[in-house]
RNA sequence: CGGGGUGUAGCGCAGUCCGGUUAGCGUACCUGGUUUGGGACCAGGUGGUCGAAGGUUCGAAUCCUUUCACCCCGACCA
C-alpha cells in the first residue's frame, strides 16, 4: 500500500485526484481549470496520439492545422451549433496591453479593441467549413479526409484533471463527402477505429451506439459514440463520431458540381477524442497501489532494478542487466535500467509500482548465482523467478498476458455491472447501490428522457448499434417502447 | 452561479478562538558516515515574513475591513 494514498473505497474522487498528481501525470496550473500535463503523463498521451494517428492515416486521412481563433460571426451561421457552445466560449476582445496609469502593472489598452471579437475555438467545424468552401468545387475534390491535432477551450464551470479541463488537447477529424451514404459510412468507420483503439490499446471494453437526440452533438444529424464503464459505476464517453448531414455545408455554402453537372451540398462528418481518454485509462485499471497501465501504452514497459552490496556486485549485475535490456529491446520492448545509487531498491519498487510500470525485473547476487531474475507484474502484483534463457520471449508473452488480463478484468467488471431494470423503483435502486449500466425501456420522447435525468441523475448513454428490438413499457411513463437503451450516471 | 473549505518552507500540516522572545513539526533537499531482496539509519545543515491590500495596537500569522486565488460538492458540460 502506498503511503498517504486514499483508497477507492474511502473516496473514489479523491483517489483519482491524488493518483493523477502523485503519479506525476498532471498538475493544476496557475490558470483556473487548466492543467499542466507533466512529462510522464504527456508520454502516455504521445503513445495514444501515435497509435491513433497511425490508424487515421491507415484509413486514408491526412493532418492539417487550422487557427486557434474563430471570428465571432462564424458561430451564428449554424443555429444549433452556436446554441450548444455559446455558454462556454472564451472571447478575445483586445490585442494590446499598456502600463497602468497608476503605475501598478499593466492594463488592457482600451484603444486596442478588435473590430470583430475572436472566439478561442471550442471545436473547429465553423472555421474548417468556411475554409472547405474554397477547397471544394467538384466531385473530384471529394472526399476530403482531414484530421487536426489541436487544443480547444471550453469554459467549464467545474473542472477535473483530464476528465474535464477548460483547455484540453484532442484530435478532430473533419471530412467532406459527395453522398450521404459515404458520409455515414465514414462516421461509422471512425467509430470502429475508436472502439478498436480503446479495446486493443487501452484495454478498455466499450459499447458502440448512437446518442439520443438530447445528447446529440450541436449541429449533428446523428452522433455515434463509444461508452466505457469506470470502476465507480459511472459511465464515461470515450469518443464520438458525428454524421453532420449537410448542415455545415449549407451554413457555409459549400457546394460541388456532381458528375451529372448538378450543384449539390457536401455531406460532412466530424469525430474526436481528447485527453479525457487519459482519465478513462487511469480510472479503468488503476488500484489502491497507484496507476496501472496497459503495456501497449506504458512509456516504460519494463524496469530493471539491481540489488547489490559492493561495487563489484553492481558491475556484474549491470553487465547482466544490460544484456537483458538489449535482448528485450530486440523485441521492441521499452526498458529502463535504473541503477541510480541515490535510491534504495524498496523505494524504487514503490515508485514504479505507483507509476504503473507493467513489469519489474530485479537482479541481485542470488540471481547471478542461479542464472535467474525476479519478475513482478503490476496488474496482479505477483512475483516469480524466471530462468534467463529466452528471457525476451518470456517477457514479451508476459506483457501480452498483462494487456489481455487488464482487458478481461475490465470486461468482466462491466458485465457484472450491467443490469436490466423493468420498473422505475428497480431502476433507481440499481443506480443508488451498485451503479453501472442499466438497460431499460424508454418511450423515445425527449420529455421523458429529461424527466428521468432530473429525477435519477442518469442519462441515456447510448442506443446500442444493432440493438435488439423488444416490446416493452417505458420505465418512467409506462408508454409503449420498442427497445431497451442504456442508462447510467456519467462523467 | 449556489453551498462548503483552504491559503503559513518544494510538498503535507500545527499555531489563529484567547495578539507578546528568534514562527514550529513531518517530509523533501544538501553534507558526512553506515546501509541496499519492499519506501534505511545516525549526525549536522539549507530553506518561510504567514495569499494580497488597508486598518486597530507599544506589538499582528493571530483582531477588523476589503480583495484575490485555488480545491471540493451541486447545476452545466467531452
Amino acid at each position: 500500500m502506498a503511503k498517504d494514498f486514499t483508497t477507492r473505497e474511502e473516496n473514489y474522487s479523491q483517489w483519482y485526484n491524488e493518483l493523477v498528481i502523485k503519479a506525476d501525470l498532471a498538475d493544476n496550473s496557475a490558470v483556473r481549470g487548466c492543467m499542466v500535463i507533466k512529462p510522464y503523463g504527456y508520454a502516455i498521451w504521445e503513445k495514444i496520439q501515435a497509435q491513433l494517428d497511425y490508424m487515421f492515416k491507415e484509413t486514408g486521412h491526412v493532418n492539417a492545422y487550422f487557427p486557434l481563433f474563430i471570428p465571432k460571426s462564424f458561430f451564428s451561421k449554424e443555429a444549433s451549433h452556436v446554441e450548444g457552445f455559446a455558454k462556454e466560449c472564451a472571447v478575445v476582445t483586445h490585442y494590446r496591453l499598456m502600463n497602468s496609469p497608476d503605475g501598478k502593472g499593466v492594463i488592457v489598452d482600451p484603444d486596442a479593441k478588435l473590430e470583430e471579437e475572436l472566439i478561442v475555438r471550442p471545436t473547429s467545424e465553423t472555421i474548417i467549413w468556411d475554409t472547405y468552401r474554397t477547397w471544394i468545387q467538384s466531385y473530384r475534390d471529394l472526399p476530403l479526409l482531414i484530421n487536426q491535432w489541436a487544443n480547444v477551450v471550453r469554459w467549464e464551470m467545474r473542472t477535473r484533471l483530464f476528465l474535464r479541463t477548460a483547455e484540453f488537447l484532442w484530435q478532430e477529424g473533419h471530412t467532406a463527402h459527395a453522398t450521404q451514404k459515404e458520409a455515414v459510412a465514414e462516421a461509422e468507420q471512425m467509430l470502429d477505429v475508436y472502439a478498436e483503439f480503446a479495446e486493443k490499446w487501452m484495454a478498455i471494453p466499450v459499447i458502440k451506439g448512437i446518442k439520443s437526440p438530447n445528447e446529440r452533438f450541436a449541429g449533428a444529424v446523428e452522433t455515434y459514440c463509444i461508452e466505457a464503464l469506470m470502476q465507480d459505476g459511472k459511465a464515461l464517453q470515450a469518443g464520438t463520431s458525428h454524421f453532420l448531414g449537410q448542415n455545415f455545408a449549407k451554413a457555409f455554402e459549400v457546394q460541388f458540381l456532381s458528375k451529372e453537372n448538378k450543384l449539390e451540398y457536401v455531406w460532412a462528418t466530424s469525430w474526436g477524442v481528447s485527453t479525457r481518454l487519459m482519465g478513462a485509462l487511469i480510472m479503468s485499471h488503476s488500484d489502491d497501489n497507484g496507476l496501472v497501465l496497459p503495456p501497449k501504452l506504458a512509456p516504460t514497459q519494463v524496469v530493471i532494478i539491481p540489488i547489490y552490496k559492493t561495487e563489484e556486485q553492481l558491475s556484474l549485475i549491470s553487465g547482466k542487466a544490460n544484456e537483458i535490456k538489449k535482448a528485450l529491446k530486440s523485441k521492441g520492448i521499452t526498458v529502463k535500467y535504473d541503477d541510480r545509487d541515490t535510491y534504495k531498491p524498496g523505494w524504487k519498487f514503490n515508485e514504479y509500482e505507483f507509476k504503473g510500470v507493467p513489469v519489474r525485473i530485479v537482479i541481485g547476487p542470488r540471481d547471478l548465482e542461479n542464472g535467474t531474475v525476479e519478475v513482478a507484474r503490476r496488474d496482479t502484483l505477483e512475483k516469480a523467478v524466471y530462468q534467463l534463457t529466452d528471457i525476451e520471449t518470456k517477457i514479451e508473452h508476459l506483457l501480452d498476458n498483462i494487456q489481455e488480463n487488464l482487458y478481461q478484468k475490465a470486461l468482466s467488471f462491466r458485465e457484472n455491472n450491467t443490469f436490466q431494470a423493468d420498473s422505475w423503483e428497480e431502476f433507481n435502486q440499481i443506480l443508488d447501490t451498485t451503479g453501472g449500466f442499466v438497460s431499460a425501456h424508454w418511450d423515445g420522447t425527449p420529455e421523458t428522457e429529461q424527466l428521468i435525468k432530473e429525477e435519477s441523475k442518469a442519462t441515456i448513454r447510448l442506443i446500442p448499434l444493432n440493438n435488439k428490438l423488444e416490446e416493452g413499457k417505458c420505465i418512467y411513463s409506462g408508454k409503449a417502447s420498442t427497445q431497451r437503451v442504456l442508462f447510467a450516471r456519467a462523467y
Side-chain angles (χ1 to χ4, degrees), chain A residues 136-354:
Chain A
I136 298 169
Q137 321 292 335
S138 146
Y139 72 93
R140 292 192 184 92
D141 297 325
L142 298 171
L144 192 52
L145 305 173
I146 291 181
N147 175 62
Q148 117 164 320
W149 289 96
N151 58 340
V152 288
V153 169
R154 296 182 188 175
W155 213 263
E156 299 290 350
M157 289 301 199
R158 213 184 122 220
T159 58
R160 294 192 68 191
L161 293 170
F162 289 119
L163 294 173
R164 178 168 300 106
T165 45
E167 178 195 17
F168 56 94
L169 305 185
W170 78 344
Q171 60 67 217
E172 47 182 327
H174 296 273
T175 68
H177 306 265
T179 65
Q180 167 167 9
K181 195 179 159 196
E182 198 184 300
V184 169
E186 165 77 5
E188 290 176 350
Q189 171 186 244
M190 297 324 286
L191 187 75
D192 288 340
V193 165
Y194 288 154
E196 185 185 345
F197 176 75
E199 301 201 330
K200 296 212 171 123
W201 292 76
M202 303 185 68
I204 300 175
V206 292
I207 299 172
K208 293 189 273 191
I210 57 170
K211 286 291 187 194
S212 63
N214 273 9
E215 300 280 326
R216 201 174 278 156
F217 175 74
V221 173
E222 191 84 275
T223 287
Y224 298 83
C225 66
I226 52 173
E227 289 280 331
L229 191 63
M230 302 295 105
Q231 291 184 62
D232 62 345
K234 285 169 83 174
L236 184 105
Q237 179 175 304
T240 49
S241 179
H242 315 290
F243 167 58
L244 302 172
Q246 294 172 311
N247 291 347
F248 285 89
K250 285 177 179 165
F252 289 89
E253 284 295 320
V254 186
Q255 291 176 296
F256 70 102
L257 271 176
S258 69
K259 260 183 192 167
E260 292 76 30
N261 198 29
K262 281 193 350 210
L263 201 54
E264 292 179 28
Y265 284 107
V266 172
W267 297 86
T269 80
S270 71
W271 29 274
V273 298
S274 71
T275 34
R276 172 178 252 205
L277 283 180
M278 295 282 295
L281 187 68
I282 296 158
M283 285 200 287
S284 293
H285 308 303
S286 301
D287 60 25
D288 295 341
N289 295 303
L291 191 62
V292 176
L293 291 173
K296 285 186 178 175
L297 293 177
T300 301
Q301 295 173 306
V302 176
V303 64
I304 305 175
I305 298 173
I307 291 174
Y308 56 93
K309 285 197 168 64
T310 63
E311 283 300 312
E312 293 70 40
Q313 278 178 342
L314 175 61
S315 134
L316 287 171
I317 288 166
S318 291
K320 191 57 78 182
N322 284 317
E323 276 175 38
I324 296 171
K325 184 174 171 181
K326 200 174 158 197
L328 293 179
K329 280 178 97 171
S330 75
K331 291 280 191 182
I333 297 169
T334 317
V335 196
K336 177 174 169 181
Y337 173 46
D338 186 354
D339 62 350
R340 288 177 297 174
D341 62 357
T342 45
Y343 292 97
K344 294 187 63 178
W347 191 92
K348 293 178 187 172
F349 294 174
N350 283 287
E351 174 75 2
Y352 292 110
E353 204 160 278
F354 199 84

